[in-house]
Amino acid sequence: MLVKLQEAGADALTAPFRPGLRSRRYKTASLNTQRPAEVIPVTTRDGAKLRVHAYGPADGEVIVLAHGWSCALEYWNPQINAFAGEYRVIAFDQRGHGESDSGTRVFGAEQLADDFSDLLDAVLRPGQQAVLVGHSMGGMTIQAWARKYPHQVRHRASAVLLATTAARQISHRATVIPLLNEIVPNPQSVARVLFGTPLPLPGGAAVNRIAKSRLANPGATRDQVDFGVSIVRSCRPSVRAAVARGLVELDVVDAAAALTVPTTVVAGSFDKLLPEVHSREIADNLAAAGNLERYTILPTGHLVNIEAEHAFNSELHRVIRTARRGPAAVAG
């Protein structure tokens, strides 16, 4: 009961500010939010309503973007702005994030898989495929979906891009907190307390400096860091905490065999939240299963599509070209 009261208090305290944090304007034009071409009503099997936006031409090739922990669909602004002129870009708020309902389910691999399956059913026509892109927890979402619904993969996906993500052992490998896992092991119990406590995140220059040193690369711009921090701060503290507790237990390492379409993995060489060892493990497992199309490391921290926007977009363009060639494009 005390935890519920803490969560309710933290959510109420931040409620007036959260929408504005997602819609801030920046000198870097690619970070700014554009109006969606369409708002798609999506309701999950347990009745949770998801915020889903479509951008670009209705008849364009489809890209589906799945954001990470504590983020929202605006996290993908650099890609929405770059691709919506030619492609139909679908972005959504994961359960409890942004303006999506939390629903009644416990956060975890099963919930991520089911929500993503429900989303694809709603946004794709029968027989239509999409390029699926997942960052961080979004990459875990795609892996969880493929693992639970392997029969859907070739019907719904033409290619997959997994960016700075993981399949398991998240708390054991993260080095985002100084000393933990670098010198002192970080047990799951500690991770649950550090990341699973519903506290509002403050803003300001000092917070941005810390975020840059722990989440981004040394060359990240002020706008890039401020954008990333603002998006994370816009998440409800209760959701941030509940999802963190669920992700500590996540293990979808066997999803590689189910991702039977050309799959690309992108890692960040400065990533401390989900270090490169995670991406390497996923890529190795994909290669063993014959499903790896490409593995690449960019000089970024965790926010790879923001910090290296142009390189990431070039990679996504390449993935789209690969998708047009079909499953035979897998290099293995």
Side-chain angles (χ1 to χ4, degrees):
M1 178 63 71
L2 179 59
V3 172
K4 292 294 184 183
L5 289 174
Q6 290 175 332
E7 291 179 346
D11 288 356
L13 184 65
T14 61
F17 309 104
R18 292 197 300 265
L21 289 168
R22 294 193 299 269
S23 60
R24 293 179 60 183
R25 307 294 291 180
Y26 298 88
K27 292 181 179 178
T28 306
S30 62
L31 300 178
N32 295 327
T33 300
Q34 65 169 281
R35 294 177 63 87
E38 182 182 357
V39 176
I40 303 175
V42 176
T43 302
T44 66
R45 61 196 65 185
D46 69 315
K49 297 184 184 300
L50 305 183
R51 180 173 70 139
V52 183
H53 287 179
Y55 305 84
D59 59 350
E61 296 172 87
V62 182
I63 305 169
V64 176
L65 304 173
H67 70 73
W69 174 55
S70 294
C71 292
L73 64 84
E74 286 86 357
Y75 175 81
W76 292 108
N77 282 353
Q79 286 64 55
I80 293 168
N81 289 320
F83 287 86
E86 180 178 357
Y87 301 94
R88 181 169 174 83
V89 181
I90 306 292
F92 70 104
D93 288 344
Q94 298 254 22
R95 175 184 295 256
H97 294 71
E99 297 176 21
S100 287
D101 294 345
S102 293
T104 59
R105 298 189 63 178
V106 175
F107 289 100
E110 293 292 307
Q111 164 264 315
L112 291 172
D114 290 346
D115 284 2
F116 198 64
S117 178
D118 293 343
L119 171 84
L120 295 179
D121 283 346
V123 303
L124 297 177
R125 300 187 301 273
Q128 187 177 32
Q129 296 175 313
V131 171
L132 309 181
V133 184
H135 168 257
S136 192
M137 188 185 75
M140 300 170 203
T141 298
I142 294 171
Q143 292 176 83
W145 164 75
R147 177 175 176 261
K148 185 171 183 179
Y149 298 103
H151 59 284
Q152 293 184 9
V153 173
R154 284 188 181 273
H155 294 290
R156 289 306 198 190
S158 55
V160 169
L161 193 163
L162 303 175
T164 52
T165 189
R168 61 173 181 169
Q169 296 184 340
I170 294 171
S171 64
H172 294 299
R173 293 170 172 172
T175 58
V176 69
I177 305 295
L179 302 182
L180 289 183
N181 290 332
E182 296 177 309
I183 297 176
V184 180
N186 182 15
Q188 288 187 355
S189 58
V190 174
R192 287 191 188 96
V193 173
L194 288 175
F195 297 105
T197 301
L199 295 175
L201 295 180
V207 171
N208 283 6
R209 284 195 295 271
I210 294 170
K212 180 175 180 177
S213 69
R214 307 315 298 176
L215 292 176
N217 77 88
T221 69
R222 179 179 298 180
D223 269 4
Q224 289 169 348
V225 174
D226 194 25
F227 175 77
V229 170
S230 294
I231 292 292
V232 170
R233 290 182 63 220
S234 76
C235 184
R236 279 170 270 183
S238 64
V239 171
R240 182 185 303 113
V243 174
R245 294 192 294 268
L247 293 180
V248 165
E249 307 288 345
L250 184 130
D251 187 340
V252 292
V253 73
D254 54 348
L259 283 168
T260 51
V261 295
T263 301
T264 291
V265 180
V266 177
S269 59
F270 293 93
D271 192 353
K272 295 181 176 69
L273 184 59
L274 296 178
E276 193 262 339
V277 62
H278 287 291
S279 295
R280 171 60 67 181
E281 178 180 56
I282 294 169
D284 287 347
N285 289 334
L286 285 165
N291 299 328
L292 179 67
E293 199 275 319
R294 176 178 165 93
Y295 178 64
T296 188
I297 305 173
L298 296 178
T300 73
H302 190 61
L303 313 179
V304 60
N305 60 304
I306 297 170
E307 299 171 60
E309 171 189 333
H310 298 298
F312 185 89
N313 290 350
S314 294
E315 192 66 21
L316 181 50
H317 275 296
R318 189 197 57 76
V319 168
I320 294 168
R321 293 193 297 270
T322 297
R324 292 170 182 159
R325 301 201 302 271
V330 175

